Amino acid sequence: MIKLKLLSIFLIFSLAISAQEKKQDSTSVPEPKSFISTHQIISGGKTIRYKALASETYLKDKSEKPVASIWSVAYVQEGVSDPTKRPVTFVFNGGPGSASVWLHMGMFGPELVKINSEAKEDDGAAPYNLVNNKNGLFDLTDLVFIDPVGTGYSRVIGKGKVKDYWGLNEDAKSIAKFMRQWITENNRWFSPKFIAGESFGTVRAVTVANTLESDGQNMALNGLILISQALDYAGSTSVHDNITSYLTYLPSMAATAWYHKKAGQGKTLESFIDECRTYTFNSYAPVLYKGSLLNETEKNEAAEKLSYFTGLDKDYILKSDLRILMHRFQKELLAGQGLALGRLDGRFMGNEVDKLSDGPHLGDASDYQISAAYTAALNHYYASVLNVKMDRPYLTSNDKIYKKWNWRTVPKEKMWEPDFVNVARKLSETMRRNTEMKVMVASGYFDLICPFFDAEYTFSRNGIEREKIKMTYYEAGHMMYTHEPDFLKLSSDIREFLSN
């Protein structure tokens, strides 16, 4: 009898706990939010009616429980008779830790924030201006802007853990899963599919393209648009003893010195860059590899040539052992004026308090001089145009992500030593399996973080079929679309890429 009573009490207690757990599960994960509106825009000389869908998409675990929420904004043309002929382009930025705000409000979205195109002065505080994107691509493609987990409104939910998303492969799997889900829900499997990524977003784009080939649902892409590519970090990491970076950064230093009238005067930018390319390939590489085996005559000849290209003092270059770190170049080129160059865009200049710091101490002038405008524009646009109402702030960037990012490309149980990230061979392999996939690479001459010469270096190696790559160049920096003439050129180049 006592046993029966104890069993009854146990069953009642178990049922109560089960009911409580179910209640907690149902209340801890609310229904995903969505905000739908209709609009129209003139694009490519046509009036395009489209639906804007700003929404949360839940990713589920093996038990079909929601574990992550991906925020996206999709712009889909209405009245299309045959969606299979209508391309869709998935867009994201980089970081890791950046939301898609930059490409959304700077390049591809229906309304763009207007900032100072010539980098002569910062945009300071509000008010800012939104303008219609008269040179957009809405006549050619639907657009889906994606914010990876931890950025924008995207986050882990339920029993989800950030470690399952904050990593090179983990991130790619979640974005690939979202893309498949979006394609399925919108019946777009037969539509041409593209990805546009910027900076680390190009690493993500290549890794996602590779991931989409697996996991039981092979999805082939039609093309990748890689803006300020960073597929091989050896060429975009300016640190001591990384010989690759001394080579890949030199032409960008020359271009930037030319822009600030410190070198190459009387020559066109293109001719000066070509001259620097030749020197880098034929002369600077042997200098770096000989190192201390150089005699004094060779050292002086190299220092004079580097001074000629970079605009820096010969003695400074000799003290640098003929190896100029990028953050020092940023500080030294305009040191006489007390100014430091931007990293994302060498056209920008910051007035530094500490004139002798080893690199810009205020941060990146090309970032802090425009980021407030982009953040304000995105929040204003969401509230006033898309009628988005969320219960938490939109994170345009999240520094916590980079600090916790898992860069491993192999499982923990396998032998692994830290190395520069390189996904270029993944691209080569994907292109050989998917022979119809085309690639466009857009590079800014004044990009001092992802140098244009690094793109040339990367795409001439790694087994990549160079004839299938479209390389385009711009007289601006990392976000070349902040420069109005190059925004127009980039838009035209992408239009041609999508149309062919």
Side-chain angles (χ1 to χ4, degrees):
M1 190 71 177
I2 293 174
K3 288 183 178 180
L4 287 174
K5 284 185 178 179
L6 288 173
L7 181 60
S8 297
I9 292 170
F10 175 76
L11 288 172
I12 291 170
F13 184 69
S14 298
L15 289 170
I17 290 176
S18 178
Q20 181 66 25
E21 287 177 344
K22 287 181 179 178
K23 182 178 179 182
Q24 287 178 348
D25 285 345
S26 63
T27 56
S28 62
V29 181
E31 288 297 311
K33 293 185 178 181
S34 65
F35 307 88
I36 303 173
S37 54
T38 56
H39 313 265
Q40 69 178 37
I41 192 170
I42 297 176
S43 180
K46 303 174 184 176
T47 298
I48 306 296
R49 291 186 298 108
Y50 64 92
K51 176 175 66 176
L53 176 60
S55 62
E56 294 178 294
T57 297
Y58 285 176
L59 304 184
K60 298 180 180 180
D61 61 13
K62 294 179 181 178
S63 302
E64 291 300 307
K65 298 286 181 65
V67 286
S69 171
I70 298 286
W71 175 262
S72 65
V73 178
Y75 300 103
V76 180
Q77 184 178 3
E78 293 194 304
V80 176
S81 58
D82 186 1
T84 66
K85 301 294 192 295
R86 174 76 172 168
V88 56
T89 302
F90 296 90
V91 185
F92 39 68
N93 276 89
S98 174
S100 60
V101 54
W102 312 104
L103 289 176
H104 196 165
M105 303 307 298
M107 180 64 210
F108 290 106
E111 294 193 27
L112 308 178
V113 61
K114 192 71 174 176
I115 65 170
N116 189 290
S117 179
E118 297 301 327
K120 296 300 182 184
E121 57 188 43
D122 66 66
D123 288 278
Y128 310 107
N129 294 315
L130 285 180
V131 298
N132 289 331
N133 187 357
K134 298 178 181 179
N135 296 279
L137 303 166
F138 285 81
D139 58 307
L140 294 181
T141 180
D142 292 335
L143 295 161
V144 184
F145 295 87
I146 306 172
D147 292 335
V149 172
T151 71
Y153 290 131
S154 301
R155 59 179 179 172
V156 294
I157 55 177
K159 295 182 179 180
K161 297 179 176 60
V162 295
K163 70 181 181 66
D164 294 328
Y165 302 95
W166 291 1
L168 181 62
N169 293 328
E170 295 86 346
D171 170 81
K173 287 180 180 178
S174 68
I175 300 301
K177 189 171 185 178
F178 167 84
M179 288 174 59
R180 287 194 184 104
Q181 195 166 321
W182 192 95
I183 289 293
T184 300
E185 291 173 356
N186 290 274
N187 191 22
R188 300 298 292 273
W189 277 93
F190 266 19
S191 297
K193 292 171 280 291
F194 295 85
I195 288 178
E198 179 184 301
S199 193
F200 171 77
T202 65
V203 178
R204 175 182 289 128
V206 168
T207 313
V208 167
N210 189 266
T211 303
L212 284 170
E213 297 179 313
S214 58
D215 295 337
Q217 272 192 314
N218 190 344
M219 181 189 292
L221 298 175
N222 295 74
L224 303 179
I225 301 165
L226 307 180
I227 300 173
S228 302
Q229 72 81 41
L231 304 192
D232 180 358
Y233 273 36
S236 56
T237 306
S238 182
V239 293
H240 284 303
D241 304 317
N242 176 17
I243 286 182
T244 299
S245 68
Y246 299 127
L247 297 167
T248 55
Y249 274 109
L250 182 59
S252 289
M253 292 182 185
T256 305
W258 176 93
Y259 175 83
H260 290 288
K261 297 181 170 48
K262 295 293 183 179
Q265 296 309 287
K267 300 185 177 183
T268 65
L269 175 60
E270 288 77 10
S271 65
F272 190 52
I273 286 172
D274 281 342
E275 188 180 352
C276 189
R277 278 192 185 101
T278 301
Y279 174 76
T280 303
F281 275 129
N282 298 337
S283 302
Y284 191 37
V287 163
L288 291 172
Y289 277 98
K290 287 186 73 173
S292 60
L293 299 178
L294 292 170
N295 59 42
E296 289 304 309
T297 299
E298 290 172 321
K299 282 184 181 179
N300 276 285
E301 287 177 351
E304 288 174 3
K305 204 65 176 176
L306 290 172
S307 177
Y308 166 76
F309 283 119
T310 66
L312 301 181
D313 185 75
K314 177 186 172 183
D315 288 339
Y316 181 87
I317 292 171
L318 286 170
K319 289 177 182 177
S320 300
D321 195 25
L322 308 178
R323 294 158 170 79
I324 308 162
L325 296 176
M326 178 50 72
H327 65 276
R328 292 178 176 174
F329 174 78
Q330 289 176 258
K331 189 74 174 186
E332 185 66 20
L333 185 67
L334 301 180
Q337 300 167 243
L339 301 174
L341 305 178
R343 186 71 181 269
L344 293 170
D345 192 329
R347 298 178 305 134
F348 284 79
M349 299 163 281
N351 190 351
E352 300 267 293
V353 178
D354 185 346
K355 310 300 183 185
L356 297 175
S357 61
D358 186 28
H361 72 279
L362 291 180
D364 185 350
S366 52
D367 179 23
Y368 65 68
Q369 290 182 9
I370 67 172
S371 59
Y374 272 80
T375 302
L378 190 284
N379 282 282
H380 173 80
Y381 172 71
Y382 272 4
S384 62
V385 179
L386 301 187
N387 298 315
V388 171
K389 293 179 175 60
M390 297 292 283
D391 58 359
R392 56 189 184 274
Y394 183 94
L395 300 179
T396 56
S397 62
N398 185 349
D399 292 340
K400 293 179 181 178
I401 294 177
Y402 195 90
K403 295 174 183 177
K404 295 184 177 181
W405 196 258
N406 176 20
W407 291 104
R408 293 180 69 100
T409 55
V410 296
K412 289 183 178 180
E413 59 270 17
K414 293 188 177 181
M415 293 291 290
W416 179 77
E417 293 181 4
D419 199 0
F420 291 113
V421 173
N422 185 355
V423 298
R425 190 159 289 273
K426 281 182 181 288
L427 175 62
S428 171
E429 293 170 353
T430 300
M431 292 181 72
R432 288 171 189 268
R433 283 190 288 263
N434 177 6
T435 57
E436 296 300 311
M437 190 176 80
K438 54 187 181 179
V439 177
M440 171 181 165
V441 182
S443 302
Y445 285 133
F446 310 127
D447 186 347
L448 302 185
I449 192 165
C450 293
F452 70 88
F453 192 63
D454 177 44
E456 298 170 5
Y457 172 75
T458 298
F459 282 84
S460 63
R461 299 162 50 250
N462 300 293
I464 294 173
E465 298 168 290
R466 183 63 180 267
E467 66 275 8
K468 293 184 178 180
I469 309 297
K470 178 182 180 180
M471 308 285 283
T472 60
Y473 299 88
Y474 308 88
E475 291 190 32
H478 197 72
M479 300 157 62
M480 64 284 295
Y481 45 85
T482 61
H483 184 225
E484 183 67 17
D486 286 300
F487 164 78
L488 297 174
K489 183 179 185 301
L490 178 60
S491 181
S492 175
D493 289 339
I494 295 175
R495 175 172 290 278
E496 180 183 343
F497 177 76
L498 292 174
S499 300
N500 294 333

